[in-house]
Amino acid sequence: QVQPVESGGGSVQAGGSLRLSCTAPGFTSNNCGIKWYRQAAGKQREWVSSLWPSGGTNYVDTVKGRFTITKDKAKDTVLLQMNSLKPEDTAMYFCKTYGGSRYCDAWGQGTQVTVSS
């Protein structure tokens, strides 16, 4: 499996920024896409953003204009730049490989993002 590993979480005040990384060795060569999800305490996991195997992107409405997903081909890493953070963005953030070859179907362990008001 193309196994992703997240990093970059932390604690910030509202209005601040964080950049999450999802490193998944082999995801470029296997033509995987990457999806970011988040799960707040006591809530269901929700989809946040996708980087399609074709390079296209999309976002849940609540983060459009604030979050940006990009790909660093040299490092087999996908970044999620999160600006203008709000307390409601507080959650555990997960990335997942999908699509492409049969190896593209794995979750990372998650990274915690906490935004204080």
Side-chain angles (χ1 to χ4, degrees):
Q1 295 286 38
V2 178
Q3 182 65 49
V5 177
E6 304 92 338
S7 62
S11 297
V12 296
Q13 291 191 328
S17 299
L18 283 173
R19 188 175 71 176
L20 305 184
S21 296
C22 175
T23 299
F27 101 87
T28 300
S29 59
N30 283 279
N31 200 33
C32 303
I34 294 285
K35 294 183 179 183
W36 282 99
Y37 291 80
R38 64 187 179 186
Q39 187 166 18
K43 295 188 177 181
Q44 289 190 332
R45 190 171 296 189
E46 68 166 346
W47 167 78
V48 175
S49 180
S50 294
L51 178 71
W52 304 337
S54 64
T57 62
N58 61 342
Y59 304 89
V60 67
D61 285 347
T62 52
V63 308
K64 282 182 181 176
R66 300 190 296 123
F67 290 12
T68 304
I69 190 170
T70 56
K71 182 177 180 179
D72 184 338
K73 291 183 180 180
K75 298 181 181 179
D76 259 348
T77 296
V78 171
L79 305 175
L80 185 68
Q81 179 67 42
M82 306 186 298
N83 298 328
S84 301
L85 283 162
K86 304 175 180 180
E88 51 264 43
D89 294 317
T90 295
M92 184 73 79
Y93 283 71
F94 300 87
C95 67
K96 182 185 184 299
T97 54
Y98 80 100
S101 78
R102 59 190 175 95
Y103 300 106
C104 307
D105 184 20
W107 289 91
Q109 83 289 349
T111 187
Q112 178 67 37
V113 171
T114 302
V115 184
S116 57
S117 58

